[in-house]
Amino acid sequence: MKVVLYMAMTANGYIAKEDGETPWSDAAWNNYYSIAKGFRAMILGRRTYEIMRKIDEFDKIGNPFTVVVSYENKKKEKNFNFVKSPKEAIALLKKKGFEKVLLGGGGSVNSSFIKDNLIDEIYIDIEPLIFGKGIKLFADGNFDRKLKLIGVKKTGNLVQAHYEVKR
């Protein structure tokens, strides 16, 4: 299964402010919607899921089959499934017949997936912003990965880098 991470972040590596706010440009949101609509399945962390659910973000991206990685026990809801680990998320998606999935954060979930060597590609939209505090692209952890640059796209003040995660 191909796992593609997509995130917007500040120039200093934050994907959100401490309170979860993501004041991204229209260009970043348009890139996100464009990429997300190309996937029938996505994986999120609990906090990202709750934020997206609160602002009806799932309708905007076509209501993909969504797997939420959370240590909390939650019951399956329409189109939303809850699991406790990245490997459990991948197993569920494979069982459902998905061949590719969009990983949409947050930082802790991103770290769990990169630690388990489960990310194949990364799209990063770099916003011309700096936050003094916030949520990092990858939460601190014991992992190192090499990336191969596949492409770069500039839209207004936004730069998008597309990488392959080297195995």
Side-chain angles (χ1 to χ4, degrees), residues 1-5 39-43 65 67 86-103 113 117-121 167:
M1 167 170 293
K2 184 176 189 176
V3 177
V4 179
L5 171 63
F39 289 82
R40 293 180 28 246
M42 73 183 322
I43 300 170
F65 183 87
V67 178
K87 289 180 181 174
E88 193 178 340
I90 296 298
L92 173 61
L93 290 161
K94 282 182 179 177
K95 182 179 175 186
K96 295 282 186 184
F98 292 102
E99 294 179 11
K100 68 177 188 170
V101 63
L102 181 65
L103 176 60
F113 273 79
N117 211 25
L118 296 172
I119 299 175
D120 298 294
E121 292 182 20
R167 303 262 185 225

Side-chain angles (χ1 to χ4, degrees), residues 59-143:
D59 285 339
K60 295 176 186 175
I61 57 174
N63 292 305
F65 183 87
T66 302
V67 178
V68 181
V69 179
S70 174
Y71 293 110
E72 293 180 8
N73 287 325
K74 290 198 171 204
K75 288 185 176 181
K76 178 182 171 183
E77 300 174 28
K78 181 186 174 201
N79 221 34
F80 299 100
N81 294 264
F82 298 87
V83 298
K84 298 208 182 282
S85 73
K87 289 180 181 174
E88 193 178 340
I90 296 298
L92 173 61
L93 290 161
K94 282 182 179 177
K95 182 179 175 186
K96 295 282 186 184
F98 292 102
E99 294 179 11
K100 68 177 188 170
V101 63
L102 181 65
L103 176 60
S108 295
V109 169
N110 295 346
S111 283
S112 296
F113 273 79
I114 201 81
K115 250 188 238 180
D116 287 349
N117 211 25
L118 296 172
I119 299 175
D120 298 294
E121 292 182 20
I122 300 173
Y123 284 89
I124 300 174
D125 285 354
I126 304 167
E127 285 277 6
L129 297 170
I130 295 173
F131 298 161
K133 291 182 178 181
I135 300 167
K136 294 179 188 179
L137 176 63
F138 293 100
D140 291 340
N142 188 17
F143 56 86

Side-chain angles (χ1 to χ4, degrees), residues 32-62:
Y32 169 69
Y33 295 135
S34 176
I35 287 173
K37 286 178 183 178
F39 289 82
R40 293 180 28 246
M42 73 183 322
I43 300 170
L44 303 170
R46 180 198 46 82
R47 188 171 175 190
T48 303
Y49 158 75
E50 288 173 354
I51 291 167
M52 288 180 68
R53 188 88 187 251
K54 184 177 181 181
I55 59 173
D56 295 324
E57 204 69 21
F58 294 102
D59 285 339
K60 295 176 186 175
I61 57 174

Side-chain angles (χ1 to χ4, degrees), residues 1 10 13-14 25 30 53-54 99 107 140 147 150 160 162:
M1 167 170 293
T10 64
Y14 290 108
S25 66
N30 290 338
R53 188 88 187 251
K54 184 177 181 181
E99 294 179 11
D140 291 340
L147 307 175
I150 295 173
Q160 182 182 83
H162 181 194

